[in-house]
Amino acid sequence: MTMLRSQTVFIAGSIAISRLQPAVCERIASVVERDMAVVVGDADGADTAIQRVLADHEARSVTVYCSGDEPRNNVGGWPVENIYPDAPPGTRRWFTAKDIAMAEAADYGLMIWDSRSTGTLTNVIELLGQTKTSVVFVNKASEFLTISDLDGLDRLVAVMSISAREKAEQKMRLSERIGALRHRQGALAF
């Protein structure tokens, strides 16, 4: 008899968010109650707040991902997955490498987003590019959006301010990334 593998959830959020709203804490508690595996980053802000909620609920199946040797935060003393990027330490590429690894390890994403963070938005796009669904809590609207296709991504991006979109264009080439997803999805349709 084969054992079914537990589903894995990549939980992350904007570094600017240090306190999670009750609806997010309830969703994380549900993940723990369902005994789903969790991959989480080691950054300050949302990552550390997520780790606190996981620890409060005595989550056991948690892996903390970090770039380099030591995680910046590991509230629960969980196992660590060290990622050694081919990028200078401390750069955007250095930290993004662990996010890509978490997206690859996960079946789903649960993201807490401030409607500005390009890191969190990149995670959603990375998961979507791997045909994985994300549930995104939009902090300023206090609502969850399910992103399982390009229409969902368009709805998510629509909540961004003009200045946040401009920043996303500069930092992550947002339109280009969405265009690449559209092109790939169109190619798969044939």
Side-chain angles (χ1 to χ4, degrees):
M1 183 165 102
T2 46
M3 296 274 297
L4 289 177
R5 181 180 74 80
S6 172
Q7 296 286 290
T8 300
V9 183
F10 172 13
I11 307 179
S14 306
I15 202 162
I17 298 171
S18 58
R19 281 193 224 146
L20 304 180
Q21 293 192 27
V24 173
C25 295
E26 289 168 15
R27 188 66 67 108
I28 294 170
S30 174
V31 167
V32 174
E33 287 167 17
R34 293 167 57 197
D35 203 29
M36 298 175 85
V38 173
V39 293
V40 64
D42 66 332
D44 294 327
D47 284 354
T48 301
I50 291 160
Q51 288 186 21
R52 278 194 217 100
V53 173
L54 290 165
D56 289 347
H57 289 280
E58 300 177 358
R60 294 178 311 235
S61 299
V62 177
T63 304
V64 176
Y65 278 63
C66 75
S67 292
D69 293 325
E70 291 294 321
R72 294 168 287 180
N73 297 286
N74 186 352
V75 173
W78 295 291
V80 174
E81 181 71 28
N82 302 91
I83 306 299
Y84 294 97
D86 184 22
T91 62
R92 181 173 177 80
R93 278 190 26 233
W94 170 264
F95 291 114
T96 300
K98 73 171 170 39
D99 293 330
I100 292 168
M102 286 187 284
E104 289 170 354
D107 299 297
Y108 305 99
L110 173 57
M111 302 289 146
I112 301 95
W113 192 44
D114 64 1
S115 303
R116 293 185 306 274
S117 166
T118 55
T120 305
L121 185 57
T122 298
N123 291 339
V124 172
I125 292 170
E126 182 68 34
L127 287 160
L128 188 58
Q130 296 179 34
T131 64
K132 298 175 183 178
T133 297
S134 294
V135 174
V136 180
F137 185 79
V138 181
N139 218 38
K140 75 177 187 178
S142 294
E143 70 176 351
F144 288 99
L145 294 177
T146 300
I147 314 304
S148 59
D149 57 23
L150 286 166
D151 289 340
L153 182 59
D154 288 340
R155 284 192 304 279
L156 184 66
V157 170
V159 304
M160 299 175 81
S161 69
I162 292 169
S163 63
R165 285 210 51 168
E166 289 171 353
K167 178 181 156 192
E169 288 297 339
Q170 292 169 356
K171 286 182 86 172
M172 62 180 281
R173 300 180 328 267
L174 178 61
S175 296
E176 188 178 311
R177 291 183 107 161
I178 292 173
L181 278 176
R182 281 190 203 293
H183 177 75
R184 194 161 84 212
Q185 189 178 58
L188 293 174
F190 291 102

